[in-house]
Amino acid sequence: MSADENPAPGVQVCSLKTTTHQLIRPGGTYRVMRFPFGAAEPADRFGMHQAVQPDGYVVSDWVTDDRSGLIWPSKAGWGHLHAMIQWEAAGSPGGYTELRDQFVRDPLGLTANPDDTTATEHRAPTPGGQYYVKNHGVFVTPGTPLALRVAHNDAAPRLVTLAEFKLVIHDAAP
């Protein structure tokens, strides 16, 4: 089965990936991870991650526009969110002691209920690579976009070297 095929009746999938390094500024403020449109990995058969967004806004440069990090659910239902985040090594003395990530509904304040966070995790770095996977279930609705956000507590900017963000929607009805 190809990535764009429907895995089961009633299931809709949006799968995003980027290997473009993203610099995350210091200060602990969460930043939306951004994803390209139409690259090899994205599977978006149901139009949940498009440069022309449902509210008419057009993303002209995915690298600089936080809206490129949004998944707009194509239907209401039970959503499974998945993410993989790879950070650069902690590096120099005084580097980060905590890496942070979360899923968020409407991170940019585009609806009446903005910045509704869920599955927030704060992690201490490991002695090896900083590779994290997270999963969480939420009800989703069209018109309320979702995003993956990250932060750290280092005094210097740090790179996310790879990120994936996926939404699988199941019908809400039994």
Side-chain angles (χ1 to χ4, degrees):
M1 173 185 302
S2 77
D4 275 341
E5 288 185 53
N6 198 5
V11 175
Q12 295 186 6
V13 175
C14 181
S15 177
L16 309 178
K17 178 179 180 179
T18 183
T19 56
T20 300
H21 294 186
Q22 295 184 46
L23 191 64
I24 309 303
R25 292 187 179 99
T29 300
Y30 282 94
R31 174 162 171 240
V32 171
M33 292 303 306
R34 299 170 182 157
F35 296 91
F37 299 98
E41 162 68 16
D44 189 25
R45 177 177 174 195
F46 300 96
M48 293 187 257
H49 182 255
Q50 300 293 311
V52 178
Q53 309 230 316
D55 63 358
Y57 182 89
V58 178
V59 177
S60 60
D61 183 2
W62 77 267
V63 173
T64 61
D65 193 330
D66 281 346
R67 278 185 171 240
S68 69
L70 301 179
I71 292 178
W72 295 79
S74 54
K75 67 177 185 174
W78 180 244
H80 284 123
L81 298 168
H82 305 274
M84 181 173 66
I85 307 156
Q86 294 184 4
W87 289 87
E88 69 174 319
S92 62
Y96 52 70
T97 59
E98 188 174 74
L99 298 169
R100 303 168 184 164
D101 51 71
Q102 62 186 198
F103 294 121
V104 60
R105 291 180 187 94
D106 192 15
L108 305 177
L110 304 174
T111 71
N113 298 307
D115 206 26
D116 177 17
T117 62
T118 188
T120 299
E121 297 181 83
H122 294 192
R123 303 176 172 101
T126 65
Q130 311 309 312
Y131 310 131
Y132 303 104
V133 175
K134 65 188 291 130
N135 301 284
H136 192 67
V138 297
F139 283 105
V140 298
T141 58
T144 302
L146 304 163
L148 169 65
R149 294 196 303 198
V150 299
H152 62 82
N153 69 347
D154 199 341
R158 293 293 175 187
L159 292 173
V160 170
T161 59
L162 182 140
E164 294 186 14
F165 179 37
K166 302 164 188 317
L167 170 63
V168 179
I169 306 172
H170 301 271
D171 286 332

